[in-house]
Amino acid sequence: MHLAKSGCFAVSLAFLFAAPFAAVAQDLQPLEGDPLRDTRLESCAQTRGFALLRYSTTDGPVVHLSDLCLDEDEGRIVSAETRDGFTLVEKSRNGSAFEVLDSGNDKYSRLRVQLVPDEDTPGCSANGLHSLAYQIPSAKGLTVDGATALYATGYTIPATARKPMRPKTSVVLLSIRDFSQAELPRSLPQQHLPASADLYGTLDFSGDAATFSVIEGGGHTVGEAGGGLSLSVDGAGEVRASGDVTAKSQRLAGHQPHEWVSMRAEIPYLRGHVLGQSGIHLKSYGAVRGTLMDASGQEHAFRASAQLVACFKDPE
């Protein structure tokens, strides 16, 4: 995979002496002084992908990013969490699944990789694009201290484009998930943190740069919202972005004391791809860090994940 030119990274190389299709993984810490990890693969001659890794801990989710390479013939997935021994267990028009059969009694307890037709933006999927799920439902050998399980969600990368097929789209979703204080001083029980926060906006490209501008909240959790992101696309179709957003709860009155009423969020690092040879689709994941204001006026730091999804195809 082409590595985008960027600022300085703290880099530790993890040499995975694996099959030739994924010889070297680079475990990057893209934000100085921040625990976020982004694992890059130098190459992948099989099924290439990118995913958001959610590690379960007793204090809440811990989020990292990783390239993935699935060798379906050898039954091996190379990523931040490399595993061997996968067997094809499901295959139909609705996708395929691979499991390590001796890792559990059923599909819920086994190491499992599943590929299904992409469903993020119906009618906008690039040819060959699939959603990807990867689970390690036990703590054996996980790279995050204290993690009890891993559940990763992502997408395959059949082809990328240098730029989108058109410079503007107004149906863009920025979704914030995995609210957590697992890597921070805890001031709220996990169940008092938001489940999600969706924001809608527009995406305008000029050359290899773009601006995402928030217009409104998604209407389920968030009411008023603002801010935006600055994006860039390199020559291999990889997207990088950063920015700040604000949001207010759609609930206007009757809050419980620790219920959130507003948030300020920084998205310091987001990575993804312009997908399809014609640039029909954009998908990306990133890290969020911010502050929640609760109904009693107290502020609470949080960490979370971000997903930015855009479609550049006219609705059918």
Side-chain angles (χ1 to χ4, degrees):
M1 177 184 292
H2 177 87
L3 300 186
K5 294 181 180 179
S6 59
C8 295
F9 290 105
V11 181
S12 64
L13 295 182
F15 290 91
L16 303 178
F17 294 99
F21 68 84
V24 180
Q26 291 183 314
D27 203 12
L28 309 179
Q29 288 183 281
L31 301 172
E32 185 175 355
D34 190 277
L36 176 70
R37 188 177 75 234
D38 184 3
T39 301
R40 301 255 193 169
L41 297 184
E42 189 176 72
S43 61
C44 178
Q46 301 290 326
T47 302
R48 174 188 172 203
F50 180 56
L52 179 75
L53 278 55
R54 299 176 176 90
Y55 293 88
S56 298
T57 78
T58 56
D59 293 327
V62 171
V63 173
H64 293 301
L65 306 174
S66 182
D67 292 335
L68 301 98
C69 192
L70 173 64
D71 186 331
E72 300 183 13
D73 296 329
E74 296 294 328
R76 179 179 177 86
I77 186 167
V78 177
S79 70
E81 302 291 347
T82 295
R83 297 293 187 274
D84 293 288
F86 289 94
T87 298
L88 178 66
V89 295
E90 298 174 13
K91 187 173 181 64
S92 72
R93 63 183 296 172
N94 293 320
S96 57
F98 303 80
E99 295 174 2
V100 179
L101 295 176
D102 61 0
S103 64
N105 295 325
D106 53 38
K107 68 180 183 180
Y108 303 104
S109 59
R110 291 174 183 152
L111 276 72
R112 179 177 170 90
V113 181
Q114 185 171 14
L115 305 177
V116 300
D118 180 65
E119 297 177 347
D120 274 343
T121 49
C124 189
S125 292
N127 185 35
L129 173 66
H130 287 80
S131 294
L132 181 152
Y134 178 26
Q135 69 176 39
I136 304 177
S138 70
K140 294 181 180 178
L142 292 175
T143 60
V144 171
D145 291 339
T148 57
L150 167 73
Y151 298 95
T153 57
Y155 53 88
T156 61
I157 307 173
T160 59
R162 295 174 60 90
K163 61 181 180 180
M165 64 191 302
R166 57 174 53 89
K168 181 174 181 177
T169 182
S170 58
V171 184
V172 183
L173 171 64
L174 174 64
S175 182
I176 302 177
R177 298 278 193 274
D178 307 307
F179 285 82
S180 175
Q181 293 181 326
E183 297 166 305
L184 298 165
R186 292 187 63 186
S187 59
L188 286 173
Q190 181 67 28
Q191 63 267 28
H192 287 180
L193 295 169
S196 63
D198 291 344
L199 302 90
Y200 287 101
T202 61
L203 190 55
D204 292 277
F205 273 87
S206 176
D208 60 359
T211 300
F212 167 69
S213 301
V214 175
I215 296 175
E216 61 182 354
H220 301 289
T221 304
V222 177
E224 296 181 26
L229 304 175
S230 296
L231 293 83
S232 62
V233 182
D234 70 6
E238 183 171 284
V239 176
R240 296 283 294 276
S242 63
D244 300 273
V245 297
T246 60
K248 292 183 179 180
S249 171
Q250 67 169 357
R251 186 173 182 85
L252 303 178
H255 300 90
Q256 298 296 312
H258 292 301
E259 192 173 352
W260 79 279
V261 295
S262 65
M263 73 173 71
R264 300 190 306 273
E266 176 194 13
I267 302 173
Y269 184 81
L270 182 142
R271 181 162 76 92
H273 303 83
V274 177
L275 296 161
Q277 292 182 342
S278 63
I280 191 174
H281 202 174
L282 184 150
K283 300 186 75 170
S284 56
Y285 300 113
V288 182
R289 52 195 186 193
T291 303
L292 294 167
M293 174 78 76
D294 69 23
S296 64
Q298 298 296 311
E299 290 191 339
H300 307 274
F302 71 87
R303 297 180 65 85
S305 69
Q307 179 181 15
L308 184 70
V309 178
C311 177
F312 297 92
K313 181 181 178 183
D314 291 328
E316 295 179 352

